[in-house]
Each structure stands twice: as structure tokens, then as C-alpha cells.
């Protein structure tokens, strides 16, 4: 008698859990699709900040002008490379 009563309740509970799990899976699928679409669009717009480039070159010019021991030949012989662009982490 107890087993028959619990079988019905167990069946109802497992059916509710399955519906809840289906809803969660549908929500996460839609959320990840929307997020992927937004990220695809926004990643293309990432560009380096022109102020960073200007500050980099001004710092190099200052270093060259501030060091009186540096000769013109060594200034021209050592090209300075701008660091590669990497998007901010936040």
C-alpha cells in the first residue's frame, strides 16, 4: 500500500524535475546564443587607444632627449617597437 502511494508521488516529482531541467536547458541555450552574438559584434570594435600610442612615443622621445651621453648614431641604430595591442581584461 505504501509503495503504491509513493510510486505516484515519485512519478509526479520526477516529471516536475524533468520539466524544470528542460526549462533551465532552454534558458541557458538561449542565453549563450545571445551572449555569443553580442561578443562577436563587440570584439570587432576593439582598437588600441590612440592616447596610449602617443604616450609611448612621447616617453621614448623624452628618454632620448634626457640622456646627454647618447650619440646620434646609437639613436638611429636602435629602432623602438611599439608594444602589441591587447584588450583590457576588465
Amino acid at each position: 500500500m505504501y509503495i503504491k502511494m509513493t510510486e505516484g508521488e515519485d512519478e509526479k516529482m520526477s516529471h516536475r524535475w524533468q520539466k524544470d531541467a528542460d526549462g533551465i536547458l532552454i534558458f541557458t541555450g538561449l542565453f549563450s546564443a545571445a551572449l555569443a552574438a553580442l561578443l562577436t559584434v563587440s570584439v570587432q570594435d576593439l582598437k588600441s587607444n590612440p592616447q596610449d600610442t602617443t604616450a609611448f612615443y612621447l616617453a621614448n622621445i623624452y628618454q632620448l632627449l634626457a640622456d646627454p651621453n647618447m650619440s646620434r648614431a646609437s639613436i638611429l641604430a636602435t629602432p623602438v617597437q611599439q608594444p602589441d595591442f591587447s584588450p583590457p581584461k576588465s
Side-chain angles (χ1 to χ4, degrees):
M1 181 165 128
Y2 178 74
I3 294 175
K4 288 182 182 181
M5 290 173 57
T6 56
E7 281 179 357
E9 288 298 317
D10 287 346
E11 189 68 34
K12 288 178 190 175
M13 187 179 296
S14 67
H15 188 64
R16 273 187 264 144
W17 284 355
Q18 185 175 5
K19 283 189 172 192
D20 287 346
D22 289 344
I24 290 170
L25 288 173
I26 289 171
F27 173 77
T28 55
L30 291 173
F31 179 76
S32 65
L35 188 64
L38 290 173
L39 283 176
T40 302
V41 171
S42 64
V43 164
Q44 295 171 355
D45 293 336
L46 289 177
K47 297 176 184 156
S48 63
N49 187 351
Q51 290 179 343
D52 291 342
T53 305
T54 304
F56 171 77
Y57 286 117
L58 285 174
N60 284 329
I61 291 170
Y62 175 76
Q63 243 179 349
L64 293 174
L65 294 176
D67 189 6
N69 296 328
M70 191 167 249
S71 68
R72 282 196 187 265
S74 65
I75 291 172
L76 297 175
T78 57
V80 180
Q81 293 291 327
Q82 183 178 3
D84 293 332
F85 170 70
S86 63
K89 298 191 192 276
S90 58

